[in-house]
Amino acid sequence: MAFRLPLPDKDDPVWTSANGFVVRKDEGVVRLTGHETMSVKVTGEETDGALAFMDGLIEPGHGNVPHIHSKEDEAFYVLSGEFEFLNGSERFTAGPEDFVYIPKGTRHAFRNLGQEAARLLIFYTPAGPESFFLAHGETDRAPKPWPDEKLNELVDVLGAHNMVLLPGDDDWH
């Protein structure tokens, strides 16, 4: 193929620098938070802070506490199951191959509506919140709910990760 473009010299590193990477399906650091099993696949340390990526397995009937991220946008891609999402005051369901985008400062949450564990991919940009899962997720137990005392202990910790819990009285009717 011959384009009429100004191209860098053939000795320019742009032709040979292999700065990308691959994360295989069985790679990642697994952490449990309540009824969520998160495999942290890509961290901000690996992307110069640009993004983070996790693969989540959510137990039936469970999800996370409504919250905001003060500095990061969050996106979800549903791989299996059906999830109910909170997006501010809006509620909607999302199923396989649906994409959900939540900009920073937007109250949001999700829960698995099904009878089986369901998977979703989670993206943060810029990176940051994944460090919460790495530092405070558990490694040696079966998924079970975090008691209110545990969540209360984490309020300050979450703040250090740019997250603020905003539970409402009627989040999941």
Side-chain angles (χ1 to χ4, degrees), residues 114-148:
Q115 301 300 311
E116 296 180 14
R119 281 183 62 206
L120 66 145
L121 303 179
I122 303 162
F123 306 85
Y124 297 110
T125 181
E130 79 285 2
S131 61
F132 165 78
F133 293 89
L134 292 170
H136 301 284
E138 299 174 359
T139 60
D140 59 353
R141 65 167 179 82
K144 65 180 178 185
W146 274 359
D148 288 345

Side-chain angles (χ1 to χ4, degrees), residues 21-151:
F21 59 89
V22 63
V23 178
R24 302 293 179 192
K25 67 180 179 179
D26 58 346
E27 294 177 333
V29 178
V30 176
R31 294 291 187 264
L32 294 102
T33 56
H35 282 278
E36 303 173 342
T37 302
M38 296 293 178
S39 177
V40 180
K41 300 288 196 175
V42 177
T43 67
E45 288 183 13
E46 298 164 306
T47 65
D48 197 24
L51 69 92
F53 170 63
M54 301 189 313
D55 183 347
L57 183 67
I58 314 304
E59 295 298 314
H62 295 281
N64 57 12
V65 175
H67 62 283
I68 64 165
H69 299 276
S70 60
K71 296 183 179 178
E72 301 86 11
D73 297 336
E74 187 171 12
F76 304 89
Y77 186 80
V78 179
L79 291 177
S80 67
E82 184 175 50
F83 290 88
E84 180 177 18
F85 280 85
L86 294 178
N87 174 33
S89 62
E90 177 187 45
R91 295 173 192 275
F92 59 87
T93 59
E97 300 184 24
D98 287 342
F99 178 83
V100 176
Y101 171 75
I102 306 291
K104 66 185 170 192
T106 303
R107 182 176 179 267
H108 65 284
F110 62 80
R111 71 175 173 144
N112 176 357
L113 294 175
Q115 301 300 311
E116 296 180 14
R119 281 183 62 206
L120 66 145
L121 303 179
I122 303 162
F123 306 85
Y124 297 110
T125 181
E130 79 285 2
S131 61
F132 165 78
F133 293 89
L134 292 170
H136 301 284
E138 299 174 359
T139 60
D140 59 353
R141 65 167 179 82
K144 65 180 178 185
W146 274 359
D148 288 345
E149 304 83 51
K150 171 89 171 173
L151 291 173

